[in-house]
Amino acid sequence: LSAMQMMVKEGLDLARSMDSSESLKPLDLDSLLDSVCSDASDAGQDVTLDGLSGCTVMARPQSLQRCLNNLIDNAVKYGHHARVSIASAEVAGKKSVQIRIRDGGSGIPVDQQSKVFEPFYRMESSRSRHTGGTGLGLTIAQNIAQQHGGSLQLSNLPEGGLQVQLTLPVKPA
């Protein structure tokens, strides 16, 4: 894809991420994550998955898949690998599921962590032809997380690398 085609594709993905016309369906999160991680591995990416949540969430399957693909692609592109884990948690009587994606990169300076969610924002160090990117991946992922009543949080790992945590509410069946 040319740079222009990439911009158009990501721009359309951004528009789609703001459009919630895809209907909500009960979704087995473990199966979706297994499928996304297997596809990434089959494509030659260094991706591993650990854990099971046993959770079903009300989700827009294609949107959530796009969100996870963006997060895993970013981890591999900027951090060489993606170590994905999933677990359920309960806080104040509300059940949620947490998907953590850890990479082996250099992390993101704390003062830039909120900026990376802004459309077209790219860190100086990522502006090489080699890594490419339009600066929309995290914006799209965050829009999708928020549409699902969830959130994305970034944190630098003490041993180096970045962790992106996607938290989604689990609605009682």
Side-chain angles (χ1 to χ4, degrees), residues 37 41 45-50 72 81-85 100:
C37 290
S41 289
Q45 294 183 318
D46 180 359
V47 178
T48 60
L49 173 60
D50 184 44
I72 289 169
H81 63 249
R83 300 292 169 254
V84 184
S85 64
R100 293 188 177 108

Side-chain angles (χ1 to χ4, degrees), residues 1-71:
L1 280 127
S2 71
M4 184 55 94
Q5 287 170 310
M6 192 61 149
M7 284 295 269
V8 170
K9 181 192 167 306
E10 293 257 309
L12 289 170
D13 278 350
L14 178 63
R16 276 195 292 268
S17 78
M18 292 187 218
D19 165 34
S20 53
S21 60
E22 186 188 356
S23 57
L24 289 165
K25 300 180 175 75
L27 183 69
D28 176 339
L29 211 46
D30 295 327
S31 294
L32 176 66
L33 204 52
D34 183 56
S35 162
V36 167
C37 290
S38 295
D39 289 351
S41 289
D42 292 348
Q45 294 183 318
D46 180 359
V47 178
T48 60
L49 173 60
D50 184 44
L52 287 170
S53 69
C55 290
T56 298
V57 294
M58 289 304 289
R60 297 181 174 91
Q62 290 174 310
S63 293
L64 201 52
Q65 183 174 352
R66 184 177 305 123
C67 173
L68 292 166
N69 281 333
N70 283 5
L71 297 175

Side-chain angles (χ1 to χ4, degrees), residues 34-162:
D34 183 56
S35 162
V36 167
C37 290
S38 295
D39 289 351
S41 289
D42 292 348
Q45 294 183 318
D46 180 359
V47 178
T48 60
L49 173 60
D50 184 44
L52 287 170
S53 69
C55 290
T56 298
V57 294
M58 289 304 289
R60 297 181 174 91
Q62 290 174 310
S63 293
L64 201 52
Q65 183 174 352
R66 184 177 305 123
C67 173
L68 292 166
N69 281 333
N70 283 5
L71 297 175
I72 289 169
D73 285 348
N74 271 2
V76 173
K77 191 188 294 180
Y78 302 112
H80 320 295
H81 63 249
R83 300 292 169 254
V84 184
S85 64
I86 184 169
S88 57
E90 197 162 320
V91 179
K94 289 195 171 121
K95 197 169 179 197
S96 67
V97 64
Q98 295 172 337
I99 298 169
R100 293 188 177 108
I101 301 165
R102 295 172 171 226
D103 68 35
S106 50
I108 296 177
V110 177
D111 64 340
Q112 292 189 47
Q113 286 184 5
S114 62
K115 291 182 184 155
V116 295
F117 291 111
E118 294 169 13
F120 304 109
Y121 182 82
R122 289 168 58 205
M123 289 175 30
E124 257 339 288
S125 61
S126 76
R127 290 182 188 269
S128 73
R129 265 185 205 283
H130 173 67
T131 51
T134 55
L136 288 174
L138 282 174
T139 309
I140 292 166
Q142 186 179 49
N143 284 347
I144 293 168
Q146 288 171 347
Q147 273 180 8
H148 285 83
S151 63
L152 277 183
Q153 286 151 313
L154 305 180
S155 52
N156 290 315
L157 298 167
E159 67 273 19
L162 183 73

